[in-house]
Amino acid sequence: MSALPPPDDKLSDDGLDSLFASLNRASGIVAAVSGGPDSMALMHLLARWRARSDKPPVLVATIDHGLRPEAADEAAFVAREAAALGLSHRIMVWTGDKPSTGIQEAAREARYRLLVAYARKEGASHLVTAHTLDDQAETVMMRLSRGSGLSGLAGMRPETDRQGICHARPLLDWPKSRLLDLCHGQGWPFVVDPSNASEDYARVRWRRLMPLLAEEGLTAERLARLAERAAQADAALDLTARKALACAAPVLAEGGLSFRGGILADEPFEIALRVLELALAQAGLDLDNSRLNRLESCTVRLREAVRAGEGLRLTIAGALVRLGHSGQVFIAPEPPRRRGR
């Protein structure tokens, strides 16, 4: 857990060094700044950190999703504030057709696609966002409501790989109120996005419920602690599953991946589940988190077939999974379906 800085008028060098320690090794840093208080605080803190000594370059990026008429003015506001801090700034616009449903998810995917592409273009190794403790708590509750597994309940990680770019969230254990107080105390201007108050979006509805949950003891801090513990357990199980798959003698060939299927029956169900998921990933067929139920169903069927000594064919996430009578599992891309079948 990173340490909160001293009072607003005494932000220490040590506090900033501790907060951004993981960024020292970066070749360059893209900071995603929308103009809200969280991201504006992040931008100012990064500017102070970088100004003190020889630090990696910081490039500020704002995404105009084209969903609100005010968005262009907000991006221009961030550009002016970044320039006043001596930081480079880039505005990127999400163009093309917008979906009629799932707009926030689509906007999120577009945002990260643009940010990662920009980081690559500029030779930056790190992308930094201003996700907070409150964001983490909301994420955990939303995933809990969808029946997510342990990996989902681990919430957002302090660092995530995005196609070779390290996505860092240095403010993940800071409450939003702390950043808002910091903006007010330091005189850092920010904008207010009206969509953050629209109950058309699930995250906003969950945000409205959080004070009621906190009254019963389910505070943002406790939800974040749950995520941290889930992440620790998830990492331990993932390591065990990787060792189990390695013991199953996996062979990666041009046509796909094969391994001894007995491992699926010998290991506890959670490990077998992860072995199958890892095998799919190694075969180049990453499984979307939303397909957890399908992965569980396939694991159950494979375990039963292994124990019965039977063959089995099934498909999942664009993959054909075949269990031979010898007990060997083969995973390969599902062949194209013929028209009319």
Side-chain angles (χ1 to χ4, degrees):
M1 304 284 280
S2 60
L4 291 178
D8 297 350
D9 59 344
K10 296 179 181 179
L11 294 174
S12 72
D13 292 349
D14 288 344
L16 292 175
D17 281 339
S18 175
L19 180 63
F20 298 124
S22 68
L23 301 181
N24 283 316
R25 66 180 186 273
S27 61
I29 301 162
V30 171
V33 180
S34 65
D38 301 348
S39 62
M40 290 301 288
L42 174 65
M43 184 175 73
H44 280 274
L45 292 171
L46 280 169
R48 289 193 179 189
W49 169 74
R50 190 184 185 285
R52 295 187 306 97
S53 58
D54 185 22
K55 300 292 184 183
V58 175
L59 311 171
V60 180
T62 303
I63 307 300
D64 179 355
H65 297 92
L67 300 175
R68 297 182 295 108
E70 308 92 346
D73 290 339
E74 292 168 1
F77 158 75
V78 176
R80 292 191 299 271
E81 294 298 313
L85 293 170
L87 298 176
S88 171
H89 182 268
R90 173 78 178 274
I91 298 173
M92 289 173 284
V93 180
W94 178 27
T95 58
D97 296 333
K98 308 297 191 298
S100 57
T101 60
I103 187 65
Q104 281 203 321
E105 291 79 6
R108 177 181 178 277
E109 291 178 6
R111 179 164 61 251
Y112 284 125
R113 183 174 63 250
L114 291 168
L115 290 168
V116 166
Y118 179 53
R120 285 178 175 165
K121 179 176 179 294
E122 297 296 328
S125 58
H126 284 61
L127 164 67
V128 180
T129 57
H131 289 108
T132 67
L133 180 84
D134 300 73
D135 295 321
Q136 179 75 302
E138 292 161 10
T139 297
V140 171
M141 288 304 304
M142 291 172 68
R143 293 181 179 179
L144 182 64
S145 72
R146 294 196 294 263
S148 292
L150 196 61
S151 297
L153 295 182
M156 295 180 284
R157 310 302 172 93
E159 289 189 354
T160 304
D161 178 78
R162 289 193 180 277
Q163 302 172 12
I165 302 298
C166 179
H167 178 188
R169 301 177 176 93
L171 304 180
L172 199 54
D173 58 350
W174 287 40
K176 284 182 180 289
S177 59
R178 179 72 176 88
L179 294 173
L180 187 60
D181 290 345
L182 195 56
C183 285
H184 288 312
Q186 295 290 320
W188 298 337
F190 57 85
V191 298
V192 177
D193 182 349
S195 65
N196 287 334
S198 172
E199 293 198 3
D200 289 340
Y201 304 119
R203 184 171 289 274
V204 175
R205 295 194 297 272
W206 276 108
R207 191 170 299 153
R208 295 279 175 88
L209 289 174
M210 294 306 288
L212 296 176
L213 296 175
E215 290 180 5
E216 299 300 328
L218 200 57
T219 63
E221 290 79 8
R222 287 178 176 172
L223 285 166
R225 182 59 177 145
L226 169 64
E228 188 175 347
R229 287 172 172 148
Q232 292 169 350
D234 185 55
L237 290 169
D238 186 62
L239 178 60
T240 302
R242 289 180 185 279
K243 291 179 178 178
L245 179 58
C247 290
V251 176
L252 185 61
E254 187 174 345
L257 180 81
S258 66
F259 64 94
R260 290 198 295 262
I263 199 73
L264 298 175
D266 296 340
E267 293 289 338
F269 181 78
E270 179 65 24
I271 301 302
L273 184 76
R274 289 166 182 260
V275 165
L276 181 57
E277 184 177 19
L278 287 169
L280 285 164
Q282 289 187 20
L285 299 153
D286 286 339
L287 188 71
D288 187 286
N289 286 336
S290 65
R291 302 195 187 209
L292 176 59
N293 288 339
R294 175 63 176 153
L295 182 67
E296 290 173 335
S297 173
C298 290
T299 304
V300 168
R301 293 180 63 191
L302 283 166
R303 282 160 66 89
E304 291 174 347
V306 167
R307 288 167 177 163
E310 300 173 349
L312 179 67
R313 289 169 61 95
L314 48 82
T315 59
I316 178 173
L320 174 63
V321 181
R322 179 167 60 87
L323 172 65
H325 288 283
S326 65
Q328 197 77 357
V329 175
F330 301 89
I331 298 178
E334 184 180 4
R337 296 187 180 183
R338 295 179 181 177
R339 182 170 297 177
R341 295 191 62 184

